[in-house]
Structure formats: structure tokens, C-alpha cells
């Protein structure tokens, strides 16, 4: 397999083109649907609001009956409160006490707000002019029966859950969870709680990758740590391929003697892409086994995280039935300077802040790809285009806030 060295956006496009959403769907309770992907478009079964309702506390009336200039004096006949509509008809020239959310009584069309009115026994004096329809939420004002409230592939938000429920729905068809297998590779790696021997370090990547990917509706299968041993890697990949839709490993995709992962994929599957014009994360590998798609992320923890955010996440979103959008890009003024050699697109970790109405960003110190410390104060990635040279203080840069990447 020749080195392809695609740019990040070209590589992502190729990966997304290569990804078919999983087809299985299941009905779930709206209350359980947060973060799931709608399997099909959802249409409102009813009008919302289902009846004309008052938007304010006040007095409901017929606007056409107010002749001349205020004040207007109207007899009061009855009350409509939320959940307790007025059943009798309000006679011509009359008005009804009404509260927010209450049904507008039959034949009335307007609400004068209580702040503009004065009670005088069984009469109401309306002191300000009102126009027909004031303070009334018409039937279907929020959504009309039959109109689309969610498109297929929508990732369900808390707001959607509220809207679906307001429309009287209690279940929704969503895509089934994708099964994602993860393992780390490296003879030096230990699980938490183990006692380090000489030259050993704790596996930081599995827990991070698991947490990052678990923000999507997936079931994660954790295959642990594989030694730098091609047979063990082959055996784990073969097992994961039977059990998963996507496999994400870390380590072993570079060009060292112990970097077996890429070679094993080449051997038992199809390596589609290897090495991008990207920093950190250059040696990332992407391919397919018999059943599952495969990402081999580089082992340095920062490279693992950056490639998981920029590549695995959108591909997984597509696999889950979503329509991944480009991450939110926010322009900011650089504080401090950055060194960058033209060649690879780079993503540094940065702290985005608002200062005197301007967005500023500063890099979080040493950006070496082993330094998890570079994430400690970070809330964004700073994107440095591949052709860019060094950046001086005050330069305009593009940031990708983590909120748009997770
Ligand atoms: P590799 O990509 O396997 O060549 O690893 C590159 C660097 O990342 C080496 O310093 C590894 O020790 C380190 N590394 C690999 N995997 C992990 C991991 N799971 N957690 C922490 N560091 C790792
Ligand atoms: Mg390694």
C-alpha cells in the first residue's frame, strides 16, 4: 500500500464515502432517546398548541367589539384557566378572565394583558388599545399537524425530547447502537492498578477513546491491551471483526520495528489510508476487515485524541445514521506567537477566551504529542493551515471549540 498522504479533509471525505449507516432500528421511549439518531423523519401528529391559548394573564375579548378609543368598559363573564376552559359562551360585548395557557373561549380572539386593565366589580376597564389576535397563540402556532419536526438522522437533543412529547408522542424509532471495539497496543502498557516495572507506562488511550466515543450511541467492547506481537494483534482484530461494526486501536501504526497493526490490517483486511498531512496524528491508518471498519490511531495520547476527534467521531456518527457536520470554526486573535513549518495542517490545543468583546486564543504551552498536559487548560483546537508559516501575536486564527467536536 503506497503512502497516500492525504490532507485531513480529503481523508475524512473518503472515509465518510466509505461508511454506510447501520440499518437496524429499534423503538425507544422518548425519555430514553437522548443522543440517539432518528431512524426516519418524524411528523407532528397534532397541532401544537392544539387549541388557541392565551400567552398572558388578562382578559379575553372580541377585538372588533371595542369601538373608538380606550378606555373600554366590558362586563366580565367567567374565567378560563389552564386546564379549565370556560364552557359557557361569552355574550356579545363581554369579556372573560383568562390566564396563561388557558383556552381562548369560543368566539373570542384577543387578550388584553392584566397590567393594562382595572377590575371594577363585575366589570373590567381596558385602558390601552388592543389589536385583534394580541396575546393569543393560535392553533398550530408552534407546529402544524402533519409537518416535519425531525429529519431522519437527527441526533435527538433535550429540546427534541420536549417537542416530541409536547406533540403527544411517547416512542421514536432510532438506529440501533453501533458496536465499537477498542484496544491498545504496546509491550510497555499497563492497566490502572498494575505495578510498573522498568520502562512501563499506564495505558492512557483506551479510557480516553472509550469516553470520547461513548458520547455517541454506541456499545463499546474493550479488548484490553495487545502486546507488540503480530499473532496476538491478528487474533484480537479477527475476534473484534466478528463482534463489532468499528474497531479503534491505538499504537503500532508508525514505522518502528514493533509497529505491527498496520501490517496485520494489510494482511487480513484492506488498508485504505495510511499517513495524513496532519500534526499530530500523521501515522493514522484506516481500513476495513471482513465486517468492521478499522481505525489505527497513533499511540501518542495527543495524537490519539486529535485523530479520534477529527476523524473517528464523524465516521462513527455517519455509521450511527447521522449526518456529521463540519465542526464549528470560530475566528480568534492569537495571543503569543506560534511556530509552524509549512507542510502539514496542525491542530494545537488552545484556550479560547472573550476579552473586551473580542475572542482571543493562546496555545497551551509545549505541544509535543505525548503531553496530555497540553489539554489541561484547553477548550479548543487551533487550526493552522498546512501552508502557514510562523504566526505572530495578533494574527487571525481559526479555532475549533471542543463543544463542537464532542
Ligand atoms: P506507537 O504509536 O505505538 O509508536 O507509540 C508512540 C508513543 O505513544 C510511545 O511513546 C508509546 O509508549 C506511547 N503510547 C502508545 N500507546 C499508548 C497508550 N495507550 N497510552 C499512553 N501512551 C501510549
Ligand atoms: Mg507502540
Amino acid at each position: 500500500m503506497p503512502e497516500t498522504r492525504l490532507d485531513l479533509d480529503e481523508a475524512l471525505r473518503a472515509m465518510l464515502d466509505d461508511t454506510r449507516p447501520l440499518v437496524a432500528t429499534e423503538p425507544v421511549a422518548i425519555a430514553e432517546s437522548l443522543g440517539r439518531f432518528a431512524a426516519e423523519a418524524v411528523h407532528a401528529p397534532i397541532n401544537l398548541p392544539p387549541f388557541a391559548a392565551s400567552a398572558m394573564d388578562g382578559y379575553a375579548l372580541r377585538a372588533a367589539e371595542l369601538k373608538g378609543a380606550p378606555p373600554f368598559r366590558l362586563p366580565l363573564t367567567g374565567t378560563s384557566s389552564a386546564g379549565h376552559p370556560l364552557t359557557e359562551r361569552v355574550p356579545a360585548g363581554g369579556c372573560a378572565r383568562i390566564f396563561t395557557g388557558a383556552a381562548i373561549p369560543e368566539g373570542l380572539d384577543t387578550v388584553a394583558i392584566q397590567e393594562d386593565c382595572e377590575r371594577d366589580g363585575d366589570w373590567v376597564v381596558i385602558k390601552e388599545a388592543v389589536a385583534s389576535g394580541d396575546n393569543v397563540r393560535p392553533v398550530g402556532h408552534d407546529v402544524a399537524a402533519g409537518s416535519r419536526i425531525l429529519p431522519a438522522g437527527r441526533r435527538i437533543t433535550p429540546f427534541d425530547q420536549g417537542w416530541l412529547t409536547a406533540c403527544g408522542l411517547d416512542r421514536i424509532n432510532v438506529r440501533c447502537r453501533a458496536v465499537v471495539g477498542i484496544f491498545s497496543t504496546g509491550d510497555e502498557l499497563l492497566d490502572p492498578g498494575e505495578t510498573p516495572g522498568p520502562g512501563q507506562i499506564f495505558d492512557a488511550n483506551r479510557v480516553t477513546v472509550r469516553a470520547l466515543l461513548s458520547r455517541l450511541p454506541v456499545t463499546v467492547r474493550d479488548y484490553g491491551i495487545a502486546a507488540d506481537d503480530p499473532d496476538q494483534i491478528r487474533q484480537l482484530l479477527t475476534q473484534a471483526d466478528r463482534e463489532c461494526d468499528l474497531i479503534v486501536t491505538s499504537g503500532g501504526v508508525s514505522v518502528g520495528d514493533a509497529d505491527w497493526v498496520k501490517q496485520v490490517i494489510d494482511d487480513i483486511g484492506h488498508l485504505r489510508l495510511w499517513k495524513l498531512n496532519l500534526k499530530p496524528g500523521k501515522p493514522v491508518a484506516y481500513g476495513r476487515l471482513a465486517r468492521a471498519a478499522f481505525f489505527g490511531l497513533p499511540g501518542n495520547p495527543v495524537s490519539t485524541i486529535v485523530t479520534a476527534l477529527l476523524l473517528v467521531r464523524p465516521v462513527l456518527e455517519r455509521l450511527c445514521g447521522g449526518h456529521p457536520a463540519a465542526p464549528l470554526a470560530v475566528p480568534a486573535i492569537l495571543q503569543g506567537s506560534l511556530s509552524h513549518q509549512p507542510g502539514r495542517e496542525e491542530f494545537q490545543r488552545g484556550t479560547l477566551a472573550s476579552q473586551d468583546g473580542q475572542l482571543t486564543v493562546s496555545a497551551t504551552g509545549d505541544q509535543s504529542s505525548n503531553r496530555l498536559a497540553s489539554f489541561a487548560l484547553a477548550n479548543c483546537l487551533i487550526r493552522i493551515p498546512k501552508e502557514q508559516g510562523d504566526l505572530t501575536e495578533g494574527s487571525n486564527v481559526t479555532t475549533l471549540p471542543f463543544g463542537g467536536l464532542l
Side-chain angles (χ1 to χ4, degrees):
M1 152 107 205
E3 281 189 21
T4 46
R5 289 287 197 131
L6 293 181
D7 291 338
L8 176 76
D9 57 345
E10 298 171 312
L12 180 57
R13 214 174 308 127
M15 291 169 184
L16 290 172
D17 284 348
D18 193 47
T19 305
R20 293 285 155 268
L22 301 174
V23 290
T25 66
E26 59 181 342
V28 294
I30 302 289
E32 302 297 323
S33 69
L34 181 64
R36 304 296 297 269
F37 289 93
E40 63 230 354
V42 180
H43 296 85
I46 57 168
N47 287 306
L48 199 63
F51 49 84
S54 182
M56 300 291 278
D57 295 331
Y59 296 89
L61 48 86
R62 296 176 187 88
E65 291 176 353
L66 305 178
K67 302 281 191 242
F72 309 104
R73 208 175 138 78
L74 276 62
L76 182 62
T77 52
T79 298
S80 182
S81 52
H84 303 282
L86 182 63
T87 43
E88 310 89 69
R89 208 179 150 77
V90 175
C95 69
R97 182 76 171 116
I98 197 160
F99 297 99
T100 306
I104 303 290
E106 187 68 35
L108 308 190
D109 51 38
T110 303
V111 172
I113 62 171
Q114 132 182 342
E115 291 83 343
D116 292 346
C117 301
E118 228 160 63
R119 264 298 270 282
D120 177 12
D122 288 341
W123 294 79
V124 179
V125 179
I126 297 162
K127 299 179 293 182
E128 302 292 333
V130 284
S132 178
D134 275 1
N135 306 305
V136 173
R137 300 172 183 152
V139 172
H141 169 244
D142 186 347
V143 64
S147 45
R148 193 181 76 173
I149 48 180
L150 300 186
R154 164 85 171 180
R155 184 141 187 246
I156 295 168
T157 66
F159 324 116
D160 297 331
Q161 288 180 295
W163 209 21
L164 292 162
T165 305
C167 287
L169 295 166
D170 63 353
R171 298 184 86 67
I172 180 170
N173 281 328
V174 297
R175 301 275 187 158
C176 290
R177 292 175 190 278
V179 181
V180 182
I182 57 172
F183 65 91
S184 299
T185 69
D187 284 350
E188 74 280 34
L189 299 179
L190 296 174
D191 272 323
E194 294 188 306
T195 307
Q200 293 191 301
I201 59 169
F202 291 103
D203 174 2
N205 291 342
R206 233 156 79 240
V207 68
T208 318
V209 168
R210 180 188 198 117
L212 284 174
L213 302 187
S214 295
R215 301 177 82 99
L216 287 168
V218 300
T219 303
V220 174
R221 295 181 85 102
D222 186 344
Y223 296 95
I225 297 168
D228 289 315
D229 167 49
D231 291 333
Q232 197 188 342
I233 292 168
R234 184 179 302 113
Q235 184 262 320
L236 270 188
L237 283 172
T238 307
Q239 184 190 348
D241 184 41
R242 281 196 301 270
E243 299 172 346
C244 304
D245 303 303
L246 174 69
I247 305 166
V248 182
T249 67
S250 73
V253 287
S254 204
V255 291
D257 288 349
D259 290 331
W260 293 109
V261 174
K262 177 190 137 287
Q263 296 180 44
V264 172
I265 290 290
D266 234 350
D267 191 20
I268 64 170
H270 300 280
L271 190 65
R272 298 262 165 98
L273 294 170
W274 180 49
K275 286 199 173 174
L276 305 183
N277 279 332
L278 177 64
K279 184 181 178 184
K282 179 173 95 174
V284 67
Y286 171 80
R288 283 195 167 273
L289 293 166
R291 201 179 151 260
F294 167 81
F295 273 101
L297 307 184
N300 269 309
V302 173
S303 314
T304 309
I305 295 172
V306 169
T307 48
L309 290 174
L310 297 176
L311 292 167
V312 183
R313 191 195 178 288
V315 166
L316 185 54
E317 184 173 343
R318 173 109 183 93
L319 188 68
C320 290
H323 307 292
L328 178 70
V330 175
I333 310 282
L334 184 65
Q335 292 201 310
S337 56
L338 291 184
S339 52
H340 181 254
Q341 289 207 342
R344 286 188 280 164
E345 184 178 16
E346 183 173 359
F347 291 86
Q348 298 203 1
R349 277 68 65 212
T351 312
L352 186 63
S354 171
Q355 281 183 11
D356 306 324
Q358 266 201 337
L359 288 173
T360 61
V361 69
S362 48
T364 54
D366 182 340
Q367 298 285 313
S368 304
S369 60
N370 63 307
R371 279 193 82 238
L372 281 165
S374 69
F375 280 96
L377 295 175
N379 57 11
C380 71
L381 296 177
I382 306 172
R383 176 161 62 201
I384 307 169
K386 62 175 176 179
E387 58 281 350
Q388 179 69 52
D390 291 346
L391 283 158
T392 51
E393 164 109 29
S395 301
N396 293 306
V397 293
T398 299
T399 66
L400 307 179
F402 287 155
L405 292 167
L406 295 175

